[in-house]
């Protein structure tokens, strides 16, 4: 267990014991909430609000209760002071706490350590979770809705893994719609498909065949036949379906490579048509669904949710029907403790319906859906191309160009490959952070200039903060090497007496010690923005510390050593945090 978790437990226990000793109340065995105050204007390091809870039963004011509790708790090795303020029991951590926090974050292995609570140790086995994201449609480029999900899903996967879960990343391709039938038709009439490498090629090709089909009734008829053949699992069609699926995946992979995204399983909707039909049969037998006048099979969900069609009158399945079979597939194959679907918020009702039907069918699945708000663009070229698809490649290019402008202003001498690489890294960081810092239900308006800025709440600002830490460490090690050469031995010596951390150092160290807790919260609440917010606070606390206190020119050797360790700990945390968001870190900026 890491120090912040330990101390939170210690505070809780102390409060609980005090309550037990002081009062006879129902709340005696309730576990009090203790919150550590990271990155805020702090009056204390941690606070407990139990007095407000007890007030009514004890018929006493919270102020009085908090004072009694605080007086009853003795300081310890890591808790320096317990006081009461406005009804809160406040804890001030000791110098020892900060020393431990510092040592803890020196270790390289903070990368590997998931949150090791006593509970997970006892359980031993990792929790398995399926995270489904991206899910584009075969034959069409990733659209904006997919892009937000792709970035988000990837970060969530990394965060959950760091927190100790076993994650299966799952990509569910739409491969049974009319656009797929069109591509299959193209395969028939053109015989040979052109080379398709990127999403742009795919789009050009789709536009071409689409125009031809619109002109010809005969082709339209054939398209319908193909669609039926897909529905019926026709063997001949399967082979062609495979081919267009592969073509699309090659194009998608280009974008995924750029984003650094990988999937453990990629499977198309068409694989769930037949099983979808079986689920519909089961639904009819279980009287969850009925045949309506028009011949459609309808699932009964009213009044909680709108009823929904499971099969059309001609027997064909729908998007929703296939999702029922997909859930069965996932839960029987992986037996996850949790399964997450990530899409745009326009699918919120869809997933509520899917989960409700599964529940009525008696499936005991733990499903969660994340539905995003819209992603739109402010000003600039991308927004003016009305009606046209906005490609991920275009967005990345735009972010890269904007990043390049910022870099060239700061470092006009930078050229060639290095400039290109750095622009891309900063552009991608900008894009990812702009998506991840916003909580899921909110809309996002992209402004490329703001996003790529080195100041403010951006990916570039975090990358830059890390570069600053690294350059301090680099300078220190150069100086150290020089000194060693001159004196012939390292000046480094063990400092026996304890170092006294100042308030900026404490603020920063408190944040650093909160890293595993923050990762755990972000993981369990499926909310990478919690981590984003934390990293911004950490970078700000570092900046404050560094602007007020010299590191390399610290007043004495002992102070310098400690401060260098603080810088190193900050670098470790920033690096790990950015990594979890899927953001590349840089050596120079
Ligand atoms: N392909 C769908 C779309 O583009 C998203 C699929 C989401 N996942 C699911 N299990 N329905 O809208």
């Amino acid at each position: 267990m890491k120090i912040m978790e330990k101390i939170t437990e210690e505070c809780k226990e102390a409060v609980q014991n005090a309550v037990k000793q002081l009062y006879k109340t129902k709340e005696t065995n309730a576990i009090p909430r203790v919150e550590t105050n990271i990155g805020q204007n702090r009056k204390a390091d941690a606070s407990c609000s139990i007095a407000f809870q007890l007030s009514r039963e004890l018929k006493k004011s919270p102020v009085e209760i908090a004072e009694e509790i605080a007086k009853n708790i003795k300081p310890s090795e890591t808790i320096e002071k317990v006081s009461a303020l406005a009804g809160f029991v406040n804890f001030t951590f000791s110098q020892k706490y900060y020393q431990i926090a510092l040592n803890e974050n020196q270790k390289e292995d903070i990368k590997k350590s998931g949150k090791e609570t006593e509970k997970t140790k006892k359980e031993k086995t990792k929790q398995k979770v399926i995270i489904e994201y991206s899910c584009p449609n075969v034959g069409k480029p990733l659209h904006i809705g997919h892009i937000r999900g792709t970035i988000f899903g990837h970060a969530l996967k990394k965060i959950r893994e760091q927190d100790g879960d076993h994650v299966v990343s799952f990509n569910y391709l739409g491969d049974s719609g009319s656009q797929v039938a069109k591509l299959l038709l193209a395969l028939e009439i053109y015989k040979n498909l052109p080379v398709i490498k990127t999403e742009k090629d795919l789009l050009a090709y789709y536009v071409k065949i689409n125009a031809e089909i619109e002109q010809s009734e005969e082709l339209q008829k054939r398209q319908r036949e193909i669609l039926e053949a897909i529905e019926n699992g026709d063997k001949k069609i399967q082979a062609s379906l495979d081919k267009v699926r592969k073509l699309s995946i090659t194009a998608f992979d280009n974008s995924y490579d750029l984003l650094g995204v990988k999937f453990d399983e990629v499977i198309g909707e068409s694989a769930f048509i037949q099983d979808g039909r079986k689920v519909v049969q089961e639904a009819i037998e279980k009287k969850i669904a009925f045949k309506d006048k028009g011949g459609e099979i309808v699932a009964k969900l009213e009044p909680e949710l709108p009823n929904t069609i499971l099969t059309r009158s001609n027997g064909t399945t729908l998007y929703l029907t296939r999702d029922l079979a997909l859930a069965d597939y996932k839960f029987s194959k992986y037996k996850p403790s949790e399964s997450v679907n990530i899409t745009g918020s326009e699918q919120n009702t869809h997933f509520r319906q899917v989960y409700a039907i599964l529940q009525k069918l008696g499936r005991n699945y733990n499903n969660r859906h994340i539905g995003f708000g819209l992603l739109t663009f402010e000003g600039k070229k991308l927004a003016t191309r009305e009606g046209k698809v906005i490609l991920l490649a275009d967005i990345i290019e735009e972010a890269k160009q904007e990043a390049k402008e910022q870099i060239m202003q700061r470092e006009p001498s930078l050229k060639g490959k290095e400039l290109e690489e750095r622009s891309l890294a900063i552009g991608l960081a900008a894009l990812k952070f702009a998506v991840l810092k916003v909580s899921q239900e909110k809309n996002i308006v992209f402004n490329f200039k703001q996003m790529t800025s080195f100041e403010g709440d951006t990916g570039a600002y975090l990358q830059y903060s890390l570069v600053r830490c690294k350059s301090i460490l680099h300078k220190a090690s150069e100086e150290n090497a020089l000194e060693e050469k001159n004196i012939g031995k390292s000046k480094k010596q063990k400092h026996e007496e304890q170092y006294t951390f100042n308030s900026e150092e404490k603020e920063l160290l408190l944040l650093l010690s909160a890293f595993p807790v923050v990762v755990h919260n972000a993981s369990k609440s499926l909310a990478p923005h919690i981590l984003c917010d934390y990293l911004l606070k950490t970078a700000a606390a570092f900046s404050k510390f560094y602007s007020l206190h010299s590191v390399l020119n610290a007043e004495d050797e002992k102070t310098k050593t400690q401060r260098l360790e603080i810088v190193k700990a900050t670098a470790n945390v920033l690096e790990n945090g950015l990594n979890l968001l899927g953001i590349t870190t840089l050596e120079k900026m």
Side-chain angles (χ1 to χ4, degrees):
M1 216 200 280
K2 299 278 185 176
I3 188 69
M4 180 167 279
E5 244 188 292
K6 262 194 213 150
I7 206 160
T8 315
E9 292 302 317
E10 189 188 336
C11 294
K12 281 184 197 166
E13 227 170 84
V15 172
Q16 202 178 22
N17 287 338
V19 172
K20 256 187 213 159
Q21 279 192 13
L22 289 164
Y23 319 111
K24 291 214 161 6
T25 115
K26 278 186 263 151
E27 307 271 356
T28 307
N29 289 317
I31 300 186
R33 263 174 77 96
V34 170
E35 307 244 8
T36 34
N37 307 325
I38 53 167
Q40 317 170 358
N41 257 339
R42 309 181 293 123
K43 299 230 162 44
D45 296 319
S47 315
C48 178
S49 57
I50 186 119
F52 297 93
Q53 247 163 281
L54 297 175
S55 164
R56 190 180 292 168
E57 202 189 326
L58 297 174
K59 301 203 173 59
K60 253 190 201 181
S61 81
V63 174
E64 210 177 321
I65 298 171
E67 267 159 21
E68 288 173 350
I69 293 175
K71 265 196 213 116
N72 195 278
I73 301 174
K74 287 194 189 61
S76 70
E77 213 187 7
T78 44
I79 298 172
E80 185 179 283
K81 198 176 94 188
V82 188
S83 55
L85 186 73
F88 285 91
V89 180
N90 281 347
F91 297 87
T92 306
F93 300 165
S94 71
Q95 289 288 335
K96 175 85 191 242
Y97 175 87
Y98 292 102
Q99 191 62 55
I100 298 173
L102 178 57
N103 297 342
E104 203 172 71
N105 282 294
Q106 291 302 313
K107 290 183 223 128
E108 273 311 302
D109 62 19
I110 62 168
K111 268 183 206 146
K112 283 166 250 149
S113 73
K115 198 188 120 153
E116 266 193 23
T117 58
E118 292 304 314
K119 213 168 136 215
T120 47
K121 262 191 227 146
K122 256 182 250 152
E123 283 168 2
K124 273 265 184 295
T125 48
K126 285 184 173 188
Q127 299 250 317
K128 192 185 275 177
V129 42
I130 302 178
I131 304 183
E132 180 207 89
Y133 55 97
S134 199
C135 307
N137 298 316
V138 163
K140 281 186 185 169
L142 290 156
H143 63 60
I144 300 188
H146 301 129
I147 292 167
R148 189 166 175 187
T150 306
I151 292 171
F152 182 98
H154 180 58
L156 188 60
K157 172 184 154 82
K158 293 190 131 198
I159 291 171
R160 291 214 75 146
E161 281 173 347
Q162 165 93 8
D163 194 37
D165 291 339
H166 174 85
V167 179
V168 178
S169 51
F170 200 99
N171 196 359
Y172 179 58
L173 305 175
D175 67 347
S176 52
S178 66
Q179 89 279 0
V180 180
K182 283 178 188 166
L183 284 183
L184 292 176
L185 181 53
L187 212 57
E188 287 181 6
I189 55 176
Y190 300 153
K191 297 294 177 244
N192 283 318
L193 288 182
V195 184
I196 293 180
K197 281 205 184 122
T198 65
E199 288 187 68
K200 272 206 168 83
D201 302 336
L202 196 63
L203 186 63
Y205 186 58
Y206 179 71
V207 169
K208 183 170 150 145
I209 178 72
N210 206 23
E212 274 184 55
I213 294 173
E214 257 169 38
Q215 299 295 319
S216 152
E217 260 174 46
E218 201 184 316
L219 288 182
Q220 283 163 24
K221 185 169 154 260
R222 180 67 196 134
Q223 184 197 329
R224 280 193 296 276
E225 283 167 15
I226 293 177
L227 210 52
E228 248 166 61
I230 300 178
E231 257 304 311
N232 296 327
D234 182 305
K235 287 265 166 348
K236 259 192 274 155
I237 282 292
Q238 290 309 314
S240 318
L241 200 55
D242 249 8
K243 206 166 176 177
V244 289
R245 207 171 22 231
K246 284 211 181 89
L247 275 176
S248 289
I249 291 175
T250 313
F252 296 144
D253 275 345
N254 257 294
S255 305
Y256 292 150
D257 283 349
L258 262 176
L259 292 175
V261 174
K262 279 197 187 69
F263 293 97
D264 298 313
E265 179 160 1
V266 183
I267 193 166
E269 267 182 47
S270 63
F272 301 98
I273 296 171
Q274 306 312 321
D275 285 341
R277 290 218 179 109
K278 285 187 204 141
V279 181
V280 178
Q281 273 316 309
E282 190 188 328
I284 296 171
E285 279 156 26
K286 291 188 171 161
K287 309 232 171 347
I288 297 161
F290 61 90
K291 195 180 214 143
D292 79 353
K293 280 181 232 118
E296 292 146 337
I297 306 294
V298 178
K300 278 188 283 195
L301 294 171
E302 283 168 4
E304 288 82 13
L305 285 162
N307 285 352
T308 187
I309 299 177
L310 296 179
T311 49
R312 299 188 187 89
S313 54
N314 64 2
T316 53
T317 58
L318 285 90
Y319 175 54
L320 183 136
T321 328
R322 300 188 277 275
D323 256 320
L324 300 172
L326 171 67
D328 279 344
Y329 171 80
K330 286 177 176 169
F331 279 86
S332 76
K333 178 168 177 182
Y334 295 105
K335 306 193 173 46
S337 59
E338 189 178 347
S339 171
V340 183
N341 294 99
I342 299 176
T343 69
S345 59
E346 67 282 358
Q347 298 197 26
N348 286 359
T349 306
H350 166 82
F351 278 102
R352 286 175 62 204
Q353 289 170 318
V354 171
Y355 299 165
I357 296 170
L358 287 168
Q359 204 182 8
K360 283 181 194 277
L361 284 167
R363 310 290 199 268
N364 192 14
Y365 300 158
N366 180 14
N367 275 309
R368 280 168 91 177
H369 174 240
I370 292 190
F372 289 122
L374 287 175
L375 188 65
T376 51
F377 298 89
E378 190 176 281
K380 277 246 154 168
K381 298 162 221 160
L382 284 172
T384 56
R385 293 214 218 139
E386 240 170 89
K388 280 202 187 158
V389 199
I390 295 180
L391 297 174
L392 174 61
D394 292 341
I395 299 175
I396 295 178
E397 186 55 30
E398 184 76 20
K400 181 185 164 188
Q401 287 312 327
E402 200 62 63
K404 198 188 255 175
E405 270 174 41
Q406 310 253 2
I407 298 168
M408 288 189 324
Q409 273 169 22
R410 293 168 161 257
E411 233 179 298
S413 61
L414 198 66
K415 297 240 152 49
K417 197 170 157 233
E418 216 183 328
L419 176 63
E420 293 305 312
E421 281 175 3
R422 207 185 290 174
S423 307
L424 181 62
I426 296 177
L428 282 172
L431 185 67
K432 290 182 179 181
F433 198 77
V435 164
L436 294 173
K437 75 173 182 187
V438 181
S439 64
Q440 47 155 310
E441 69 291 346
K442 290 200 187 123
N443 296 339
I444 303 180
V445 183
F446 265 11
N447 174 323
F448 287 93
K449 206 166 216 70
Q450 254 169 32
M451 270 161 56
T452 50
S453 166
F454 283 28
E455 280 145 40
D457 45 356
T458 67
Y461 168 64
L462 291 176
Q463 284 175 314
Y464 184 60
S465 305
L466 175 58
V467 167
R468 272 172 86 192
C469 293
K470 284 188 179 173
S471 88
I472 299 166
L473 296 171
H474 187 71
K475 266 200 206 119
S477 76
E478 273 179 352
E479 280 175 15
N480 209 14
L482 206 67
E483 275 172 19
E484 277 183 34
K485 233 191 200 163
N486 291 346
I487 311 170
K489 61 169 183 158
S490 171
K491 259 178 88 183
K492 243 189 181 173
Q493 36 179 268
K494 282 254 173 272
H495 303 288
E496 295 305 330
E497 52 192 304
Q498 223 197 8
Y499 177 78
T500 311
F501 297 100
N502 63 41
S503 78
E504 287 74 28
E505 291 167 340
K506 287 205 258 179
E507 192 176 327
L508 179 54
L509 284 169
L510 188 69
L511 272 156
L512 298 181
S513 66
F515 185 62
V517 178
V518 169
V519 169
H520 181 67
N521 291 343
S523 166
K524 288 293 165 288
S525 45
L526 310 177
H529 73 91
I530 294 177
L531 178 59
C532 294
D533 189 48
Y534 164 83
L535 292 173
L536 289 170
K537 280 183 183 147
T538 304
F542 171 74
S543 183
K544 189 164 152 203
F545 152 76
Y546 190 58
S547 68
L548 293 174
H549 307 285
S550 320
V551 175
L552 295 170
N553 299 316
E555 41 277 33
D556 52 53
E557 211 39 45
K558 179 174 122 192
T559 309
K560 180 174 164 182
T561 312
Q562 285 287 24
R563 291 204 179 138
L564 277 172
E565 307 232 305
I566 295 176
V567 176
K568 206 190 256 155
T570 310
N572 279 342
V573 166
L574 287 178
E575 180 137 37
N576 290 330
L578 285 171
N579 190 336
L580 294 182
L581 299 177
I583 292 178
T584 315
T585 57
L586 296 163
E587 291 305 313
K588 276 195 212 150
M589 249 176 110

